[in-house]
Amino acid sequence: MQAHGSSALAPAAIAVAKVALEQPLATPLDYRVPESLIAACQLGQRVLVPLGPRHVQGYVVALTPGSEVEAEALKPIVDVLDDESPLLTPALLKLTRWVADYYMCPWGLVLKAAVPQGFRVRSEAVYRLTPQAQAEPSAWPGGRAASALQLLAEQGPQRRSELARKLDVDVKGIGPLLRRLETEGWVAGEQQRQAPKVRQRMVAVVRLTLSPEDAEALHQEVASRAPKQADVLSQLIQQPLWELADLQAQVPGARAAVQRLVQRGAVAMEQVEKMRSVIPKDVRSPDTLPRLNAAQQHAFQQIEVKLAAPDGVPVLLLGVTGSGKTEVYMRAIDTALKQDKTALVLVPEISLTAQATERFTMRFGDRIAVLHSGLSAGERFDEWRRLARGEARIAIGARSAVFAPLPNLGLIIVDEEHDTSYKQEEAPRYHARDVAIVRAQQERAVVVLGSATPALETFHHARRGKYLHLSLPKRVSDQPLPKIMIVDQRVHATPNERVISTPLRHAIAERLERGEQCLILINRRGYSAYLQCRECGDVPHCAHCSVSLTYHARGRTLKCHYCDYTQPAPTACPVCHGPVLHHYGVGTQQVEDVLRALFPEARLGRMDRDTTRGKAAHERILRSFGAHEVDILIGTQMIAKGHDFPNITLVGVVSADGALSIPDFRAPERLFQLLTQVAGRAGRGARPGEVLIQTFRPDFESMTFAREHDFLGFFQHEIQNRRLLLYPPYMRLAKVLLDSPDPERAQTAGEWLAGQFARHLAEPQRLEVLGPAEAPLAKLQNRYRWHIMLKAATSRELHGWLQQTLDTAQQDRQHLRNVRMSIDIDPVLFL
């Protein structure tokens, strides 16, 4: 398919736009461009088009003079939605097309993920009575149809959703009723565009229209008889333009005075747009930049060389925690800006954006825009537009910010590049790090991947020369890395030590006495992993997923962390009515309660998904911790990376073994990374740090290498296992997941599809089918799940094999009837 062409079409015999819809459609659809819209229709624009009875939003991805579809069958574009320049640049169209092809996802769904929700336009059918229905109410059908017709007669035209609400019917359920009434001629429906949920924020401003001399003269004239007008004029003489709200704060009752001054022609009042700002205010710029040590200077100079002549080779900046990677990033960004280029900074967690934004704002001021899902729809709408207009030249954000509309892109930073949060687990299942590498290559930009514990695949590429490898082996100012102690929980396993061992308790007490801060990591939220009856052994499970329910002491509830199903915690066993339900496993709430009992004078904070649901909750917790209003911060892995608090001298890890119970070949790597990253939060200031890791497996390789801060040793050990088992980086993987409400159908479909993959094995020594097997999470939201794992020597072979097999499977849909299939290229999680 042609992805790019001329930006607009001259009036030819027929103008056709290929439109990618925000729908699960395999290919863009052809639409006729009406003559009235030909001049306005351009590549990358949002358009409103008919799809069945609805009007839906899409994106123009190609313009052609003709179509394979007969002209009479082509539906026309309803409207062009972008008044100014197209929302998507050719560079973003090219990038999203690559994402669609590589991750085998419809292009329209990739565009939907790339564009903030605030740009979405909706239409909805509005129904009214026909003249026939108005003339013959006695002939109306009965039942619910009569109720609908009566409502329309009394209240006038109604939107479909409003009708459903007023009739107490599900929105989907009212569809057949309305279609029947429309067919019988009682109602007529018409698609109408709804007001957008997000609009430009407009504010009233007051502007002085007189010269300073005339304003002074008027001020003296009204001073005695209209003091409010005089006060308003006094403010406007000092500052000729005010927001009305600010003026009213200075002069109570200013609105009426302004209206009178408008009538006199002394001032003008108008509506102007005011962008919603997410950049922190009153951030002081540093007086001098920190001096780079020799390793930082070398790394920066090498990146400068790349910026001067981009060659498409990614840069791996491997720096131990606290080695000053961020300062190298900022120096490189400054160089890119001086070359009149823009920069993109990706961080893995929303919790890290606040600290990163503050640090970058200190250096670059309002040239920064922020993009992540924690912002309101209006804030993302405005930040995207600031970038597209060139008003901001640096984008900072989490995974989806990889699609930021940055013109003349020069530099992409992927911080903590190893982090699994960069991989999206819903369609489109892209990996932001890999998309960033491709975007840099497409736009001749430089991409820098930074980490203290890079992904094994990334470091393997660096060792083979595919990436430029730069190293920061020491902390800035030569602070030592923290001392790591492994606490064998088999020795410290008394009931009192089940959560906090004696060595960890003593270490916390010492820090509190010295006024220092502690981080306690437990990678499970809630109070305990599950409840179990002591008499019959029953464990409460989710009604919709094949997982046990996590106990939350606050509110005494049991909750599923996959589908959010919640039920009250029982006081007795629901099976045998036994009176004792025992808590097993440890969660953040339980750790908090234990620490509160052990250290009643300490100020505790907790940071997990339960405490960070609210807007800016991450920022509030971290700001409080940074201000030393919290002595001990307990949290899940979101506290383990990126944060820089110089007063943390102790990190404790509770139940470090949990990560090893996951059926995943990357589990040892994730554990090593987690332990190394959280250990790196300690001792970043003047005082040395210490880390205590509680484990029942003290001799496990991830523990022993983490204790010595030995990334290279861990890599060499783990890469041997990958080579023997033929896992990445030695093979490419794809996961095919099949799920259905019917468990037998899911299994049968998995067995049949695995057989189809086996039939298309062109070279068995380079391709391998594993499965089908029941997924580790066998049931999720009432759907039963089976998966197939595919291995191939190269990405090209993997995609060809997948496409050939799926094309064949689509011709025999009966085996996949009532079964949903999803494809995950380069999967990160295997649940």
Side-chain angles (χ1 to χ4, degrees):
M1 180 194 306
Q2 179 182 342
H4 302 292
S6 59
S7 60
L9 282 175
I14 183 170
V16 174
K18 292 187 180 295
V19 179
L21 305 180
E22 295 181 338
Q23 309 287 330
L25 300 173
T27 60
L29 301 181
D30 287 0
Y31 286 92
R32 178 170 55 82
V33 183
E35 192 171 337
S36 61
L37 296 178
I38 286 178
C41 196
Q42 300 179 57
L43 278 177
Q45 279 182 317
R46 295 174 301 147
V47 290
L48 201 64
V49 297
L51 182 68
R54 299 175 295 151
H55 290 169
V56 298
Q57 179 172 298
Y59 302 86
V60 177
V61 296
L63 291 164
T64 63
S67 169
E68 295 179 1
V69 180
E70 291 189 13
E72 295 75 16
L74 285 177
K75 295 182 178 179
I77 290 175
V78 175
D79 199 3
V80 173
L81 301 174
D82 295 324
D83 295 331
E84 302 173 5
S85 57
L87 186 68
L88 297 172
T89 63
L92 281 177
L93 285 177
K94 183 178 181 181
L95 179 68
T96 53
R97 176 58 189 267
W98 178 87
V99 171
D101 289 345
Y102 184 81
Y103 292 101
M104 304 187 76
C105 177
W107 195 355
L109 294 187
V110 177
L111 292 169
K112 182 179 180 180
V115 174
Q117 187 177 1
F119 289 96
R120 200 140 296 131
V121 171
R122 301 175 305 115
S123 72
E124 189 173 1
V126 175
Y127 290 88
R128 56 177 51 82
L129 292 180
T130 61
Q132 172 192 334
Q134 294 173 5
E136 302 177 36
S138 59
W140 289 356
R144 182 159 283 165
S147 300
L149 294 171
Q150 187 65 39
L151 195 153
L152 291 173
E154 293 174 354
Q155 300 185 23
Q158 299 284 310
R159 289 178 308 174
R160 173 175 158 155
S161 58
E162 282 295 299
L163 273 171
R165 182 181 64 81
K166 292 175 180 178
L167 294 172
D168 195 24
V169 183
D170 182 77
V171 173
K172 292 183 179 178
I174 202 171
L177 171 64
L178 291 173
R179 283 194 293 273
R180 177 166 67 84
L181 291 175
E182 200 167 10
T183 302
E184 294 173 357
W186 300 113
V187 301
E190 180 184 9
Q191 289 287 324
Q192 290 186 6
R193 191 193 309 182
Q194 302 302 305
K197 290 186 176 181
V198 178
R199 303 183 187 186
Q200 298 176 6
R201 186 173 72 164
M202 308 300 290
V203 296
V205 297
V206 180
R207 177 171 48 83
L208 184 65
T209 58
L210 299 177
S211 67
E213 296 78 12
D214 291 343
E216 282 287 357
L218 181 59
H219 178 268
Q220 294 176 13
E221 178 186 332
V222 300
S224 59
R225 57 187 177 80
K228 290 292 185 185
Q229 293 182 46
D231 290 345
V232 168
L233 283 169
S234 180
Q235 296 293 333
L236 287 167
I237 288 169
Q238 296 176 46
Q239 179 182 310
L241 185 67
W242 280 82
E243 281 189 40
L244 180 59
D246 294 340
L247 190 58
Q248 286 178 299
Q250 293 292 324
V251 183
R255 180 180 287 273
V258 167
Q259 293 290 355
R260 291 186 179 90
L261 289 170
V262 169
Q263 293 170 4
R264 302 181 71 138
V267 303
M269 190 164 65
E270 54 199 18
Q271 294 287 319
V272 299
E273 181 181 6
K274 182 180 180 181
M275 291 278 193
R276 304 163 181 90
S277 177
V278 299
I279 300 298
K281 304 294 184 185
D282 303 322
V283 176
R284 293 181 56 190
S285 299
D287 296 328
T288 58
L289 298 183
R291 292 188 61 181
L292 300 182
N293 60 31
Q296 286 176 303
Q297 186 65 38
H298 174 74
F300 170 53
Q301 288 173 343
Q302 292 296 304
I303 296 170
E304 269 194 315
V305 170
K306 290 275 190 184
L307 286 167
D311 57 8
V313 176
V315 177
L316 170 62
L317 181 60
L318 194 165
V320 299
T321 55
S323 60
K325 294 187 290 293
T326 301
E327 183 59 33
V328 175
Y329 298 158
M330 289 196 283
R331 299 286 179 104
I333 290 171
D334 189 53
T335 299
L337 295 180
K338 289 175 180 175
Q339 295 174 351
D340 199 28
K341 296 178 180 177
T342 57
L344 169 62
V345 181
L346 296 180
V347 294
E349 296 267 8
I350 293 175
S351 61
L352 296 176
T353 56
Q355 184 170 283
T357 300
E358 184 171 337
R359 294 180 68 177
F360 279 80
T361 302
M362 290 174 63
R363 188 71 61 89
F364 301 109
D366 61 2
R367 289 179 288 178
I368 291 171
V370 181
L371 291 173
H372 61 72
S373 59
L375 302 179
S376 70
E379 288 168 340
R380 294 188 76 189
F381 177 76
D382 281 354
E383 292 293 272
W384 175 284
R385 291 164 63 229
R386 288 181 62 230
L387 289 165
R389 294 172 177 179
E391 296 169 11
R393 301 178 62 202
I394 304 166
I396 299 177
R399 182 174 59 223
S400 62
V402 74
F403 301 110
L406 287 159
N408 198 24
L409 182 61
L411 178 66
I412 304 177
I413 305 291
V414 185
D415 195 26
E416 311 292 2
E417 66 84 30
H418 66 276
D419 201 283
T420 57
S421 299
Y422 284 124
K423 174 72 170 178
Q424 178 153 301
E425 293 303 319
E426 305 85 30
R429 295 173 174 81
Y430 66 92
H431 198 302
R433 176 199 61 207
D434 298 340
V435 175
I437 292 171
V438 171
R439 183 171 186 181
Q441 292 170 341
Q442 289 181 347
E443 299 190 43
R444 290 193 55 77
V446 176
V447 61
V448 178
L449 313 176
S451 178
T453 55
L456 263 65
E457 295 91 333
T458 300
F459 192 66
H460 178 74
H461 293 327
R463 299 264 286 189
R464 295 182 61 197
K466 290 181 67 176
Y467 295 174
L468 173 64
H469 179 200
L470 303 176
S471 179
L472 302 178
K474 295 182 179 180
R475 286 185 159 183
V476 293
S477 304
D478 286 332
Q479 301 125 311
L481 290 168
K483 178 184 176 182
I484 298 179
M485 173 182 171
I486 305 293
V487 178
D488 188 347
Q489 281 291 80
R490 297 171 300 181
V491 178
H492 301 277
T494 65
N496 290 338
E497 295 185 304
R498 191 169 61 87
V499 178
I500 302 294
S501 64
T502 298
L504 181 55
R505 177 165 57 86
H506 288 162
I508 293 172
E510 290 176 12
R511 269 56 182 198
L512 294 176
E513 189 175 337
R514 298 201 297 253
E516 298 167 3
Q517 291 174 290
C518 311
L519 276 187
I520 304 297
L521 172 72
I522 167 68
N523 207 21
R524 184 192 298 276
R525 59 193 172 111
Y527 187 85
S528 61
Y530 58 93
L531 298 181
Q532 186 171 35
C533 175
R534 280 190 173 176
E535 296 190 16
C536 73
D538 181 69
V539 175
H541 275 70
C542 176
H544 313 290
C545 309
S546 57
V547 293
S548 58
L549 293 168
T550 300
Y551 175 62
H552 288 250
R554 311 294 189 269
R556 287 189 50 81
T557 58
L558 294 174
K559 180 178 287 188
C560 175
H561 289 169
Y562 289 93
C563 73
D564 276 343
Y565 168 78
T566 303
Q567 69 179 48
T571 56
C573 176
V575 175
C576 73
H577 307 293
V580 181
L581 293 170
H582 191 71
H583 302 149
Y584 286 92
V586 180
T588 49
Q589 288 183 16
Q590 187 175 3
V591 172
E592 181 183 9
D593 286 353
V594 170
L595 287 171
R596 202 174 295 283
L598 290 173
F599 306 103
E601 302 300 320
R603 298 166 297 176
L604 271 58
R606 179 160 59 90
M607 190 168 176
D608 55 25
R609 196 167 295 174
D610 295 321
T611 63
T612 57
R613 291 183 185 275
K615 181 175 169 59
H618 299 91
E619 298 174 37
R620 286 193 296 271
I621 295 170
L622 293 173
R623 193 179 299 116
S624 177
F625 189 67
H628 204 166
E629 296 167 357
V630 171
D631 299 311
I632 305 173
L633 180 61
I634 304 130
T636 55
Q637 64 177 354
M638 62 177 66
I639 70 170
K641 50 210 169 189
H643 305 300
D644 188 357
F645 296 107
N647 201 43
I648 297 173
T649 58
L650 177 69
V651 168
V653 181
V654 178
S655 299
D657 312 309
L660 298 177
S661 62
I662 299 172
D664 187 341
F665 71 91
R666 288 195 178 96
E669 178 186 9
R670 290 207 188 95
L671 178 59
F672 175 84
Q673 290 167 340
L674 181 65
L675 296 178
T676 303
Q677 290 289 334
V678 76
R681 301 314 108 206
R684 297 170 79 97
R687 287 165 286 195
E690 185 179 15
V691 182
L692 274 71
I693 300 173
Q694 297 181 173
T695 176
F696 287 93
R697 302 178 67 179
D699 298 324
F700 191 78
E701 293 84 357
S702 298
M703 308 282 185
T704 56
F705 285 117
R707 182 180 59 204
E708 302 301 325
H709 301 281
D710 186 4
F711 171 76
L712 184 58
F714 175 77
F715 170 81
Q716 291 171 336
H717 173 271
E718 191 65 18
I719 204 72
Q720 295 296 330
N721 294 335
R722 299 281 183 92
R723 183 184 289 113
L724 288 172
L725 297 172
L726 290 178
Y727 279 122
Y730 299 103
M731 295 287 273
R732 306 303 292 263
L733 299 183
K735 180 179 73 173
V736 181
L737 180 69
L738 299 153
D739 64 90
S740 171
D742 182 342
E744 292 185 6
R745 188 169 289 280
Q747 179 178 353
T748 302
E751 292 169 347
W752 176 79
L753 189 59
Q756 298 302 305
F757 280 115
R759 282 182 52 204
H760 290 89
L761 274 174
E763 297 183 65
Q765 68 276 16
R766 297 178 65 83
L767 305 171
E768 184 180 359
V769 185
L770 300 178
E774 195 172 40
L777 188 54
K779 180 185 176 186
L780 183 63
Q781 297 179 358
N782 292 322
R783 299 185 72 91
Y784 297 85
R785 309 162 81 242
W786 282 68
H787 64 183
I788 303 166
M789 196 65 60
L790 307 177
K791 289 183 178 181
T794 67
S795 174
R796 183 183 298 274
E797 289 170 301
L798 180 65
H799 280 80
W801 182 27
L802 261 167
Q803 195 61 62
Q804 184 183 16
T805 304
L806 295 178
D807 287 346
T808 302
Q810 291 299 326
Q811 298 171 15
D812 193 1
R813 287 292 302 173
Q814 64 176 5
H815 291 92
L816 298 176
R817 186 163 47 87
N818 203 27
V819 175
R820 188 170 59 190
M821 178 172 60
S822 63
I823 299 168
D824 191 356
I825 305 294
D826 302 331
V828 166
L829 298 178
F830 296 87
L831 294 179

